[in-house]
C-alpha cells in the first residue's frame, strides 16, 4: 500500500532542518496582543513587522463594540450558507456599504478572502474560456483558475507587452477572456502598471479583474485601491478584496457593475456551499468600512 503522506516527507525534512536552527519561522504564536503592531511572543514584547493590519483598525472601540452587540443579538454563528438559511440582514448591509465605498452597483460578500478569488474567477470563467494571469499571482487566483476549468495562460510579471503577445496568439479562440491582476502583489509588494494593461485591454477587448486585497484601504484618494489611485476604476470590470487586511476582520468580497453580476451568487460553488460569516465578523466589518469611509486620512 502506498502511504498518502509519503509524498510530504521532503516537507518534513525541510521542517526538521529549520527547527535545528532553533526557530519555528512558520509557527510563530502571538501569546498576547498589545496593540495592532505589538505582541508578546515567547515572553518578549515584539514589533509585528509582518502584520497586514494596515489601518490598525482591530482595536478601534466602535468596531469592537459592534462585534459584541452582534454576539448578543444574533449569537455566535449563522449555521448555514448564504443561499440556504445563512443570509442575515447585516450581510446585505455590508454588501451595500462596500458597494457604496467602492462606487459599484453590486457587491457579494464571501466567508474568506481566499474564497472570494475562488468564487469570482470560477464564476466568471468556464471550460470554454481563457484566464490570463500574472505569473506571480496569489495561490487563491491560481486555485480559482483550476476550479473554473478554463484554459490558463500565464504572462510575465507586470509585463503588459507579454500579455499583448499571448492574447494575439489566441485571437481566434472560442469563449471569453478574463485577465487577472493584483493591485499590490502579495508575493513581491509591487504594483501592477495598470495604465499599460488598460491599453492592451482596449486592443483585445477582454474583461479585467483586479484583486485589491493588499491595496484596498491603502491606495487612492478614496482608499479603493490601485484602480482608484490610477484613475482607471471604470476599466476594472470586477474587483476582489479581503477583510483580513485593512478591514481587520475575516472575509472577502467581489464587486462590479455588470447587469448580470447578481447571477454569480447561483454559479459560484465556494459561495453556495460554505457557511456564511458569523454575525460578529460581519458587524465588525460593517463598522470598519464605515470608519474607513469617514477617515480617508488613514
Amino acid at each position: 500500500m502506498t502511504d498518502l503522506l509519503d509524498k510530504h516527507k521532503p516537507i518534513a525534512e525541510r521542517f526538521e532542518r529549520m527547527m535545528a536552527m532553533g526557530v519555528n519561522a512558520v509557527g510563530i504564536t502571538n501569546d498576547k496582543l498589545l496593540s495592532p503592531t505589538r505582541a508578546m511572543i515567547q515572553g518578549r514584547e515584539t514589533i509585528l513587522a509582518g502584520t497586514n493590519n494596515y489601518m490598525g483598525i482591530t482595536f478601534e472601540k466602535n468596531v469592537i463594540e459592534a462585534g459584541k452587540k452582534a454576539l448578543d443579538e444574533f449569537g455566535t454563528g449563522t449555521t448555514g450558507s448564504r443561499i440556504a438559511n445563512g443570509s442575515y440582514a447585516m450581510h446585505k448591509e455590508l454588501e451595500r456599504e462596500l458597494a457604496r465605498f467602492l462606487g459599484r452597483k453590486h457587491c457579494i460578500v464571501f466567508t474568506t478572502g481566499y474564497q472570494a478569488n475562488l468564487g469570482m474567477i470560477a464564476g466568471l470563467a468556464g471550460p470554454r474560456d481563457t484566464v490570463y494571469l500574472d505569473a506571480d499571482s496569489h495561490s487563491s487566483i491560481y486555485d480559482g483558475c483550476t476550479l473554473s476549468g478554463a484554459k490558463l495562460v500565464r504572462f510575465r510579471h507586470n509585463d503588459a507587452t507579454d500579455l499583448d503577445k499571448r492574447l494575439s496568439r489566441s485571437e481566434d479562440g472560442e469563449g471569453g477572456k478574463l485577465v487577472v491582476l493584483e493591485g499590490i502583489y502579495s508575493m513581491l509588494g509591487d504594483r501592477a502598471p495598470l495604465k499599460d494593461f488598460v491599453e492592451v485591454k482596449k486592443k483585445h477587448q477582454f474583461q479585467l479583474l483586479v484583486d485589491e486585497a493588499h491595496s484596498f484601504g491603502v491606495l487612492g484618494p478614496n482608499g479603493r485601491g490601485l484602480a482608484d489611485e490610477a484613475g482607471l476604476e471604470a476599466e476594472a470590470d470586477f474587483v476582489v478584496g479581503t477583510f483580513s487586511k485593512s478591514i481587520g476582520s475575516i472575509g472577502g468580497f467581489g464587486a462590479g457593475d455588470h447587469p448580470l453580476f447578481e447571477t454569480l451568487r447561483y454559479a459560484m460553488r465556494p459561495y453556495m456551499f460554505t457557511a456564511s460569516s458569523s454575525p460578529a465578523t460581519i458587524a465588525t466589518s460593517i463598522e470598519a468600512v464605515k470608519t474607513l469611509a469617514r477617515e480617508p486620512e488613514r
Side-chain angles (χ1 to χ4, degrees):
M1 182 188 77
T2 300
D3 189 328
L4 291 171
L5 291 177
D6 277 350
K7 57 181 169 288
H8 298 315
K9 284 182 177 178
I11 295 176
E13 291 167 1
R14 289 198 295 273
F15 183 82
E16 288 171 6
R17 290 200 299 271
M18 178 185 67
M19 291 303 292
M21 299 170 67
V23 177
N24 183 356
V26 294
I28 298 296
T29 300
N30 299 311
D31 298 311
K32 182 180 180 182
L33 270 293
L34 304 174
S35 78
T37 55
R38 295 181 300 119
M40 294 300 295
I41 299 176
Q42 295 182 343
R44 295 176 60 187
E45 184 174 332
T46 306
I47 294 172
L48 304 176
T51 180
N52 293 321
N53 197 1
Y54 301 142
M55 298 296 105
I57 211 159
T58 53
F59 279 86
E60 291 294 314
K61 186 176 180 180
N62 60 316
V63 176
I64 293 171
E65 288 301 318
K68 290 179 178 178
K69 186 172 184 288
L71 275 171
D72 289 337
E73 294 182 4
F74 297 97
T76 59
T78 64
T79 69
S81 69
R82 290 291 304 277
I83 64 169
N85 60 298
S87 271
Y88 289 12
M90 61 175 60
H91 290 92
K92 290 293 187 181
E93 181 184 352
L94 177 56
E95 288 171 340
R96 289 192 298 270
E97 287 295 336
L98 278 166
R100 186 180 300 115
F101 185 91
L102 293 164
R104 298 284 177 167
K105 293 179 181 178
H106 309 285
C107 181
I108 297 174
V109 164
F110 296 81
T111 308
T112 71
Y114 201 97
Q115 282 181 312
N117 269 332
L118 287 183
M120 287 295 294
I121 294 172
L124 291 168
R128 295 182 57 196
D129 305 316
T130 304
V131 180
Y132 296 81
L133 77 162
D134 190 291
D136 288 314
S137 293
H138 190 270
S139 293
S140 60
I141 294 173
Y142 273 98
D143 287 352
C145 294
T146 300
L147 185 62
S148 74
K151 180 181 178 182
L152 171 61
V153 177
R154 300 175 183 83
F155 56 89
R156 286 195 296 270
H157 178 57
N158 275 349
D159 192 333
T161 300
D162 190 45
L163 173 62
D164 184 16
K165 290 177 182 177
R166 294 175 189 276
L167 283 162
S168 296
R169 291 172 192 159
S170 59
E171 201 69 19
D172 298 326
E174 65 173 356
K177 298 179 178 65
L178 176 68
V179 173
V180 183
L181 305 174
E182 292 185 50
I184 295 178
Y185 281 87
S186 57
M187 300 297 102
L188 300 167
D190 55 355
R191 309 178 191 187
L194 193 56
K195 183 179 179 181
D196 295 343
F197 283 105
V198 166
E199 290 303 313
V200 179
K201 182 187 178 190
K202 291 176 181 176
K203 178 179 178 181
H204 293 282
Q205 299 299 305
F206 54 76
Q207 286 171 289
L208 176 64
L209 183 151
V210 181
D211 179 0
E212 301 275 19
H214 287 270
S215 44
F216 178 84
V218 177
L219 299 182
N222 303 293
R224 295 197 285 251
L226 178 69
D228 180 22
E229 180 184 63
L232 294 168
E233 290 180 281
E235 298 294 341
D237 299 284
F238 309 102
V239 178
V240 173
T242 182
F243 300 162
S244 58
K245 277 72 178 177
S246 293
I247 294 178
S249 183
I250 186 167
F253 66 84
D257 297 318
H258 197 287
L260 293 176
F261 187 89
E262 287 294 321
T263 63
L264 290 171
R265 292 185 191 273
Y266 318 112
M268 302 183 295
R269 293 166 69 90
Y271 173 87
M272 295 167 66
F273 298 103
T274 301
S276 61
S277 301
S278 69
T281 296
I282 293 297
T284 56
S285 299
I286 292 170
E287 195 58 39
V289 172
K290 289 180 177 179
T291 300
L292 295 180
R294 280 196 309 268
E295 302 175 14
E297 65 273 14
R298 282 179 182 259

